[in-house]
Every structure is written in structure tokens, then in C-alpha cells.
Amino acid sequence: AQSVTQPDIHITVSEGASLELRCNYSYGATPYLFWYVQSPGQGLQLLLKYFSGDTLVQGIKGFEAEFKRSQSSFNLRKPSVHWSDAAEYFCAVGPLGGNMLTFGGGTRLMVKP
Amino acid sequence: DSGVTQTPKHLITATGQRVTLRCSPRSGDLSVYWYQQSLDQGLQFLIQYYNGEERAKGNILERFSAQQFPDLHSELNLSSLELGDSALYFCASSVSSGAGAYNEQFFGPGTRLTVL
């Protein structure tokens, strides 16, 4: 069965600092990988996705993620965090040939001024 | 705004009751997905419908059921409600079923269900 682990439940960073959110997945083959963001009172918005090819993926809002097969990881990064990035971030995996998403537990990001 | 609408926004009800959550997908999307976000279980997939037919099933309780109508809107019915059913219920939609190729899912704002 596929699973996703986000080891950090909460992270606090200062505005302007760099950010890395960790995601580890368990899956038998190369899955589809995603990062979503959930702002308070909002639905989930897709930040970026990885299907195949270049392991460094660029997304919206200045985010990027790197797929590392050897570590079963898909960490999300941003070089300089803005106060508006405060939200909850979810890593997800989806199987090839299907659309069902399995989500990690989420990481709540707080940004200090 | 994703283009996916969900009603109602909030729902408060009592244990043992039955409720219906409604979802309208984005224009042109044929697939609808339901997810439950709770403190205990996190965000988990419940069920998918594609063009009126059930396509995939996740951890959906027998007390819960869903359907997709000819106009492609979907309803999630929750019955014999328990305190543990309190959660945020998301609907998402995508263009097709996802078979063979992934289709991006667009999420609605959710319906917050509180069972007292």
C-alpha cells in the first residue's frame, strides 16, 4: 500500500528565510507526486507535481521540489519565504493509471515577521 | 477560485442524523472525488465518480454513500452520524477518470460538518 510521511507537523521560519518541507513516500514503483497548499478556509491548491523526467520540478509561487528516488523523498523548497506563505502544506502520492491521492499528515508553516 | 463549488459551507447536526453534502464540479469535468479531512485520520480519499458511475473507492464507511447525477453534480450522503464523523469534507473534480494518465484534481472549499 502506498503511504506518505511528512515528519514535521509544525515549522516556523522568519520572513525572507529559506524553507524546506520534508516528504517521504512508500510506493512500489515511481508514483505521481504532488504538493498542495491549504490556506485557512480554503480548499487545496496544487503547487507542483512530478510525473517523470527532470527530478527538479518548478511550481507556482516560487516553490520547487526535488524527487530523490534513492531516498524516496520529494521535499518542497522555497529560497525566500513571504508572510503570505503561512498555510498548511500537504504532500501526496497518486498511482499510475488512477487518480486516487494519498496524502501525508500535513506540515503547518508559520512565518515570523 | 478553483471553479468547484460545495454547499453548504457549514453544517451542524446531532448524532444519529443524516446529512447530504453537495458538489458541483468545474465546467467540463467528468470526474468527482470526495475526501474527508479529520484530526484523527488526516486527509483521506473516500470515493470517485466518473460520468455518473463509481470509479474508485477508498476508506468510505458503509454509512456513507455518494452518487453523481446526469448534470454531473455529486452528493455525499452521511447517515447515522457519529461524533467522529465531524470533519471537513472536500470535493474535487478533474477532466477525466485518470485511467492511463493523471488528471489534475481541482478542490472545492469544503463543507465543515460538526456532529454534536
Side-chain angles (χ1 to χ4, degrees):
Chain A
Q2 58 201 48
S3 65
V4 180
T5 302
Q6 294 180 245
D8 305 305
I9 298 175
H10 292 102
I11 281 187
T12 300
V13 300
S14 297
E15 191 167 16
S18 64
L19 171 71
E20 182 168 30
L21 303 182
R22 295 183 292 164
C23 171
N24 293 99
Y25 69 90
S26 172
Y27 190 69
T30 301
Y32 294 152
L33 293 161
F34 310 86
W35 276 99
Y36 283 85
V37 60
Q38 182 182 21
S39 300
Q42 303 293 316
L44 294 160
Q45 182 183 20
L46 181 65
L47 286 176
L48 48 78
K49 58 185 181 285
Y50 173 78
F51 291 172
S52 64
D54 192 347
T55 57
L56 187 61
V57 180
Q58 301 298 320
I60 62 171
K61 304 186 180 189
F63 285 93
E64 66 177 27
E66 186 171 13
F67 169 61
K68 292 186 177 179
R69 185 192 303 273
S70 62
Q71 298 175 21
S72 297
S73 69
F74 188 58
N75 294 348
L76 182 71
R77 301 194 294 245
K78 186 168 185 178
S80 177
V81 169
H82 187 261
W83 64 266
S84 61
D85 294 325
E88 187 146 24
Y89 292 79
F90 292 92
C91 182
V93 62
L96 296 177
N99 256 26
M100 188 179 83
L101 293 176
T102 299
F103 287 87
T107 297
R108 183 167 296 278
L109 173 66
M110 291 181 284
V111 181
K112 290 190 301 186
Chain B
D1 185 355
S2 67
V4 178
T5 60
Q6 291 187 248
T7 56
K9 213 168 189 174
H10 301 277
L11 200 47
I12 301 174
T13 188
T15 54
Q17 294 299 303
R18 174 190 170 93
V19 297
T20 297
L21 313 183
R22 183 188 169 102
C23 168
S24 293
R26 292 187 322 153
S27 177
D29 284 358
L30 298 179
S31 266
V32 169
Y33 311 78
W34 287 97
Y35 291 86
Q36 178 195 58
Q37 185 179 31
S38 67
L39 290 175
D40 292 345
Q41 303 290 330
L43 190 58
Q44 58 176 359
F45 168 77
L46 295 178
I47 197 164
Q48 175 195 1
Y49 275 81
Y50 171 69
N51 206 19
E53 294 191 3
E54 184 183 303
R55 185 76 184 198
K57 216 166 186 174
N59 297 326
I60 187 166
L61 299 172
E62 284 195 13
R63 300 184 285 108
F64 296 1
S65 65
Q67 53 184 326
Q68 187 179 27
F69 294 87
D71 67 352
L72 300 176
H73 91 271
S74 177
E75 292 180 356
L76 179 67
N77 300 296
L78 315 176
S79 62
S80 303
L81 284 167
E82 302 174 1
L83 295 178
D85 297 327
S86 295
L88 188 55
Y89 290 84
F90 285 111
C91 169
S93 73
S94 70
V95 169
S96 70
S97 67
Y102 182 79
N103 298 145
E104 180 176 343
Q105 294 181 33
F106 294 86
F107 282 78
T111 293
R112 183 167 294 283
L113 173 66
T114 302
V115 182
L116 300 175

